[in-house]
């Protein structure tokens, strides 16, 4: 009989609510503790999801010995410091993506995870989406032949939002790249690996954050055309074209429930489905790792997180995306 995995949540914003609703659907896991900078906010959140403990500071939760793992759902800029503090206190951590703002942060986080001998994973939920797992299988087993072309985008209109909020505020590592550009970059990386070279171009908003970014990833025999933006909507469909066929991941592809395979003159659509909003699958992977004593996931390893942030650092260097605190 596997024991119940006790979860703590740090940060009580929108994504933490979505995550908690999905956690309730997973057998073998329970929300036990919530921490926010406001005790009242933490208490309200804990009451809503039936968690017995609420804390008005993150450190109290880290040192409470009430949980097996902490899900960190705060803005990008605090991921490294809070993850490191949590791990040094002996907690396993699932850290919302991007794991860190740059590679130096992620390297430090991985190093502390190893020193503290605790589990650490970047919460890149799309990696565990059943459709994306299936599409990776189709690519890896040669169903569509050798990949020659990948296209993926993710854009929505956000320029009407609060300029002090995380998307438009440079102090919070705002802009499209780290928030949503990470998804198309992840897809190219998980299907094609690290590119041999990158071309990228960005436009900036008046607050100083990048508001749209186009990228071309070049591989030995393939190219990936990727885009993220905050100044318009995009279709959010992904296309992977090979020598024998093409797969389209249905929009919004990063949280998709199906795909279409075009091959031999036929077009077959498959509904794969997902549980809850989609966080269920990432939670199940964490449970599987913890129950087997693993310190990292085979599906999304420390090295995968390091590769991803290295690619994003390259794009930033090429386009001049710099944050004031760096």
């Amino acid at each position: 009989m596997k024991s119940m995995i006790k979860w703590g949540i740090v940060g009580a914003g929108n994504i933490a609510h979505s995550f908690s609703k999905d956690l309730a659907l997973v057998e073998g896991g329970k929300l036990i503790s919530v921490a926010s900078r406001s005790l009242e906010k933490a208490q309200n959140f804990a009451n809503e999801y039936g968690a017995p403990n609420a804390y008005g500071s993150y450190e109290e939760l880290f040192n409470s010995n009430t949980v097996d793992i902490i899900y960190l759902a705060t803005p990008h800029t605090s991921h490294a410091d809070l993850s490191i503090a949590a791990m040094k206190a002996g907690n396993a951590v699932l850290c919302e993506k991007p794991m860190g703002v740059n590679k130096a942060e992620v390297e430090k986080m991985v190093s502390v995870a190893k020193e503290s001998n605790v589990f650490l994973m970047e919460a890149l939920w799309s990696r565990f989406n059943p459709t994306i797992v299936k599409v990776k299988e189709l690519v890896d087993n040669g169903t569509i032949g050798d990949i020659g072309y990948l296209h993926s985008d993710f854009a929505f209109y956000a320029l009407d939002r609060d300029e002090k909020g995380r998307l438009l505020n440079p102090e919070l590592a705002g802009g499209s790249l780290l928030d949503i550009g990470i998804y198309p970059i992840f897809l190219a990386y998980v299907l094609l690996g690290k590119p041999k070279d990158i071309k990228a171009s960005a436009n900036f908003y008046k607050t100083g954050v990048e508001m749209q970014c186009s990228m071309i990833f070049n591989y030995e025999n393939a190219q990936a055309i990727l885009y993220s933006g905050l100044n318009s909507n995009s279709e959010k469909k992904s296309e992977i074209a090979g020598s024998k066929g093409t797969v389209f991941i249905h929009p919004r592809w990063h949280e998709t429930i199906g795909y279409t395979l075009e091959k031999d003159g036929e077009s077959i659509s498959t509904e794969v489905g997902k549980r809850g909003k989609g966080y269920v699958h990432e939670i199940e992977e964490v449970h599987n790792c913890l129950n087997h004593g693993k310190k990292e996931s085979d599906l999304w390893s420390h090295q995968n997180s390091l590769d991803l942030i290295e690619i994003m650092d390259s794009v930033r260097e090429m386009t001049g995306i710099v944050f004031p605190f760096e």
Side-chain angles (χ1 to χ4, degrees):
M1 177 77 180
K2 287 170 181 166
S3 59
M4 176 68 67
I5 288 172
K6 301 190 287 291
W7 283 82
I9 283 185
V10 166
N14 291 340
I15 197 165
H17 281 278
S18 298
F19 184 90
S20 299
K21 289 183 177 89
D22 274 13
L23 177 58
L25 304 174
V26 182
E27 270 183 49
K30 186 164 173 38
L31 181 58
I32 298 294
S33 299
V34 180
S36 171
R37 282 172 303 189
S38 147
L39 179 57
E40 187 188 2
K41 199 172 176 187
Q43 193 61 66
N44 290 340
F45 193 103
N47 293 345
E48 186 172 346
Y49 297 102
N53 307 304
Y55 301 99
S57 81
Y58 303 144
E59 288 68 29
E60 281 178 274
L61 170 50
F62 298 160
N63 295 308
S64 68
N65 288 325
T66 57
V67 300
D68 300 308
I69 183 159
I70 287 168
Y71 170 60
L72 196 64
T74 56
H76 311 332
T77 41
S78 60
H79 287 179
D81 287 349
L82 291 178
S83 292
I84 286 166
M87 290 187 290
K88 282 185 170 172
N91 301 285
V93 170
L94 173 66
C95 177
E96 198 38 69
K97 56 86 203 150
M99 190 130 89
V101 167
N102 51 45
K103 193 176 183 191
E105 286 192 352
V106 177
E107 282 175 335
K108 181 91 194 289
M109 292 161 81
V110 168
S111 160
V112 170
K114 289 186 162 70
E115 284 162 22
S116 306
N117 196 31
V118 294
F119 175 85
L120 170 67
M121 189 176 93
E122 182 175 22
L124 200 72
W125 68 321
S126 300
R127 176 63 186 94
F128 310 99
N129 176 294
T131 299
I132 291 172
V133 169
K134 180 64 186 170
V135 167
K136 180 163 167 56
E137 231 173 76
L138 293 175
V139 168
D140 290 351
N141 68 19
T143 297
I144 58 170
D146 298 324
I147 306 303
Y149 170 70
L150 183 148
H151 169 261
S152 186
D153 60 37
F154 194 155
F156 58 84
Y157 190 80
L159 300 187
D160 52 357
R161 300 201 186 183
D162 176 9
E163 290 181 0
K164 291 188 170 62
R166 67 184 179 86
L167 279 177
L168 302 178
N169 185 347
E171 295 289 350
L172 295 177
S176 81
L177 186 73
L178 293 189
D179 197 69
I180 53 178
I182 189 171
Y183 288 110
I185 292 170
F186 144 77
L187 190 67
Y189 167 70
V190 88
L191 296 180
L192 290 166
K194 284 170 83 173
K196 60 175 191 168
D197 65 75
I198 294 171
K199 291 181 175 57
S201 176
N203 284 329
F204 291 80
Y205 185 57
K206 63 185 179 187
T207 59
V209 301
E210 148 276 327
M211 64 177 175
Q212 60 182 161
C213 186
S214 293
M215 298 156 271
I216 300 173
F217 287 9
N218 211 22
Y219 296 87
E220 208 55 61
N221 298 300
Q223 288 186 331
I225 313 294
L226 313 173
Y227 175 77
S228 65
L230 299 175
N231 60 348
S232 70
N233 282 302
S234 71
E235 191 180 16
K236 301 184 242 330
K237 180 165 95 171
S238 290
E239 173 182 356
I240 305 107
S243 53
K244 295 179 185 169
T246 301
V247 175
F248 295 93
I249 307 177
H250 299 165
R252 299 171 14 157
W253 75 264
H254 74 293
E255 56 176 10
T256 187
I257 55 169
Y259 67 92
T260 298
L261 173 62
E262 290 185 359
K263 191 179 175 182
D264 304 327
E266 279 191 307
S267 178
I268 300 164
S269 287
T270 303
E271 290 286 307
V272 180
K274 66 180 178 187
R275 292 177 58 210
K277 189 170 167 59
Y279 297 100
V280 164
H281 308 287
E282 137 184 296
I283 294 166
E284 287 178 336
E285 171 65 10
V286 170
H287 285 183
N288 183 50
C289 290
L290 293 179
N291 284 326
H292 288 91
K294 291 182 175 181
K295 303 304 177 197
E296 60 183 304
S297 163
D298 296 331
L299 287 178
W300 193 252
S301 66
H302 295 165
Q303 190 57 53
N304 292 145
S305 291
L306 287 163
D307 288 349
L308 187 67
I309 196 71
E310 187 178 299
I311 294 168
M312 291 202 290
D313 278 1
S314 300
V315 171
R316 287 181 54 198
E317 198 175 329
M318 204 159 288
T319 51
I321 300 170
V322 185
F323 302 117
F325 52 82
E326 288 181 300

